[in-house]
Amino acid sequence: MLLTSFALLSALSLPLVSPHPFYSTQATHGVESSHMSLFARLRNALVKLTPGQSSIGTSISPSPGQFVSAPPRPPNAFKERYDRDIVLRFNVSTEKESAALAEAVDTLFLDVWDVTAEWADIRLAKDVGREIKGLRIGVHPQNSEQPADPRQTILVLGGSHAREWISVSSVSYAAYSMITSYGKSREITRLMEEFDWVFVPTLNPDGYVYTWEVDRLWRKNAQQTSLQFCKGLDVDRSFGFGWDGKRTKGNPCSESFAGDIPFQAVEALRLANWVKNETERNNVEFTGFVDLHSYSQQVLYPYSYSCIETPPTLENLEEAGLGLSKAMHQVSGEVYGVTSACKGSVVGDQEFRNERQLWPRIESSGGTALDWMYHDVGVKYAYQIKLRDTGNYGFLLPQRNIIPTGEEVFGALKFFGHYLLSKKGVEAANDSPSSRKGLP
């Protein structure tokens, strides 16, 4: 991450240079004084080489009235490829500055473009750090006379693993279907009155873009690791509960690399901070959680980190899980298995697994959003649903599956909402505002 890089540079006692442009194509007249701080000298040495733009800072002070010419505009193809990158120029005037910069380059595996006796140009890519977009929908009753109860909220995630495109489209399809059904369907209108629904189609936007531009089967995020040639952390192995990072620690090339500490993946940390803020400050209670993945067509409940530990609400989890599977089957006829997230990812026959004599795990499955939401946040009904298919196409699911899979997810969420209403004790109380609107 760009911000992480700057923070580490600071820790190494190398003066920071802001990535924001200080200069326009018109020259500055600031002649360096002998009293100018090291930071100011480095700031004035900044070169912002954004293709297609002309914004240059130079350590050579122009004469009054003189202008610094803009660089020639590069070809459009070059601009499209590199227009999110910047190059920082550091003036190096002392041995101490040179040593600090060398340490930063070695520690952060920085991309050094050029070095002269006076300065060094270092490229920083800006292809990570995209915003995580979410959509909250719901209808809040207007009643200012009574203090509001915590707003019951259902969180639906997709795109934790970058290559699982069907999860992204399915979250988007379900959100669209719910929005366009409000006021037309009594069922959906009531669900939106009783719950807030938060849809996050792409929890891992950097990795998702990477699958479109570079590697279709990329799994992790785009975060830099200790190895320049092995970037990326597994977002869904970075959560705090049941974190199993020791298994992949020291191996950033692993597809399941969980980082060196819990929540090192920035996307996992941002989601956790947002959930904490919602529950502590915004009067939100997360009632349900659905995390969409692919593939294998399974409805999975906690725990993922252990096949031995039993969740305290196992019977309820199994009951609702079977209902989710049935709802998806009723939509399309597709069969979705139901089991714990751990057993769903362990090789071995069913009898073998029931005896809890499990074969070694092929990959780490600790530190998932599923386990963290259930155990640490206290969401009573938390599920990971692995969508189509069962391996014929795997992650490379044909386009014709997008709408049918979205309809399966929408059907599952409708059941989920009704099931949670029954647990709230309001399913039979036909007194919501929608019951008086004459909706179908």
Side-chain angles (χ1 to χ4, degrees):
M1 295 295 296
L2 184 59
L3 296 179
T4 303
S5 299
F6 280 118
L8 289 174
L9 282 170
S10 179
L12 292 170
S13 300
L14 184 68
L16 301 183
V17 178
S18 168
H20 299 293
F22 289 99
Y23 300 91
S24 66
T25 53
Q26 294 183 342
T28 59
H29 303 289
V31 180
E32 291 188 13
S33 70
S34 59
H35 302 291
M36 184 173 289
S37 67
L38 177 61
F39 172 82
R41 285 190 281 113
L42 287 175
R43 179 198 66 196
N44 289 347
L46 172 65
V47 176
K48 183 174 182 293
L49 300 178
T50 303
Q53 301 179 14
S54 53
S55 183
I56 300 180
T58 176
S59 58
I60 303 176
S61 301
S63 303
Q66 186 180 4
F67 294 94
V68 178
S69 61
R73 295 180 64 87
N76 288 335
F78 179 85
K79 180 180 185 300
E80 291 174 0
R81 175 64 181 85
Y82 297 106
D83 65 354
R84 293 183 61 83
D85 295 355
I86 62 174
V87 175
L88 300 184
R89 173 165 293 179
F90 292 90
N91 274 357
V92 181
S93 57
T94 68
E95 182 179 356
K96 182 178 180 181
E97 293 172 10
S98 179
L101 189 57
E103 184 179 0
V105 169
D106 290 340
T107 302
L108 301 175
F109 300 96
L110 300 179
D111 184 5
V112 179
W113 272 24
D114 199 8
V115 178
T116 72
E118 299 174 345
W119 45 260
D121 284 352
I122 296 178
R123 168 179 170 264
L124 295 177
K126 294 181 66 178
D127 58 352
V128 295
R130 294 176 177 84
E131 292 183 348
I132 300 172
K133 303 291 187 180
L135 174 67
R136 183 198 302 271
I137 60 176
V139 180
H140 293 214
Q142 300 295 324
N143 188 347
S144 59
E145 297 179 359
Q146 298 179 357
D149 293 330
R151 182 65 171 170
Q152 305 294 303
T153 301
I154 299 171
L155 175 61
V156 184
L157 292 185
S160 295
H161 290 147
R163 61 193 177 192
E164 298 169 6
W165 288 6
I166 193 63
S167 69
V168 177
S169 63
S170 295
V171 174
S172 302
Y173 185 93
Y176 171 83
S177 299
M178 189 162 289
I179 292 171
T180 55
S181 298
Y182 178 76
K184 301 175 183 178
S185 164
R186 175 180 298 177
E187 175 187 24
I188 298 303
T189 302
R190 188 177 185 201
L191 291 178
M192 291 179 64
E193 290 171 348
E194 296 290 345
F195 299 104
D196 272 359
W197 298 76
V198 178
F199 294 92
V200 182
T202 313
L203 182 62
N204 176 12
D206 293 333
Y208 182 65
V209 170
Y210 194 80
T211 63
W212 280 87
E213 297 179 348
V214 181
D215 182 355
R216 170 63 182 86
L217 294 178
W218 184 258
R219 169 186 170 101
K220 301 185 285 184
N221 66 10
Q223 195 169 338
Q224 187 59 57
T225 68
S226 59
L227 293 179
Q228 179 74 16
F229 52 86
C230 287
K231 68 178 180 179
L233 282 76
D234 188 334
V235 175
D236 202 39
R237 298 294 183 269
S238 190
F239 289 84
F241 181 74
W243 184 76
D244 190 24
K246 292 182 179 179
R247 179 167 177 173
T248 60
K249 188 174 183 179
N251 184 18
C253 298
S254 169
E255 287 294 301
S256 300
F257 180 55
D260 298 319
I261 57 174
F263 293 110
Q264 186 173 345
V266 292
E267 296 84 358
L269 180 61
R270 288 177 181 175
L271 178 65
N273 288 339
W274 175 79
V275 168
K276 182 179 179 181
N277 183 71
E278 290 294 291
T279 56
E280 294 182 355
R281 300 183 180 181
N282 292 334
N283 199 31
V284 166
E285 179 182 349
F286 287 97
T287 306
F289 173 67
V290 177
D291 187 14
L292 299 183
H293 287 257
S294 70
Y295 57 92
S296 71
Q297 296 185 197
Q298 296 186 90
V299 177
L300 306 175
Y301 53 80
Y303 288 114
S304 177
Y305 83 101
S306 171
C307 294
I308 305 300
E309 296 296 326
T310 301
T313 60
L314 177 60
E315 291 185 3
N316 289 339
L317 288 168
E318 289 179 330
E319 179 185 41
L322 289 169
L324 289 167
S325 174
K326 181 178 179 180
M328 300 176 83
H329 178 73
Q330 289 176 337
V331 170
S332 64
E334 292 290 329
V335 176
Y336 281 75
V338 181
T339 187
S340 74
C342 175
K343 293 180 180 179
S345 60
V346 174
V347 177
D349 60 53
Q350 189 64 41
E351 180 180 357
F352 199 79
R353 285 185 277 179
N354 286 341
E355 293 175 356
R356 294 189 175 184
Q357 297 173 337
L358 301 172
W359 296 350
R361 307 290 290 274
I362 294 178
E363 68 167 352
S364 170
S365 60
T368 62
L370 172 69
D371 286 356
W372 182 77
M373 289 291 291
Y374 177 77
H375 184 274
D376 286 7
V377 181
V379 180
K380 296 179 180 179
Y381 294 92
Y383 295 90
Q384 181 184 105
I385 301 180
K386 291 192 174 182
L387 303 172
R388 297 189 185 189
D389 59 4
T390 56
N392 290 332
Y393 295 98
F395 301 118
L396 305 178
L397 201 63
Q399 181 179 355
R400 63 178 179 270
N401 289 272
I402 293 176
I403 292 178
T405 308
E407 291 174 342
E408 290 170 3
V409 171
F410 185 45
L413 293 181
K414 288 190 290 185
F415 161 81
F416 198 39
H418 284 298
Y419 183 86
L420 295 179
L421 278 177
S422 70
K423 295 303 176 181
K424 286 176 64 177
V426 298
E427 181 65 45
N430 190 22
D431 59 353
S432 68
S434 63
S435 65
R436 297 186 294 273
K437 293 178 181 177
L439 299 177

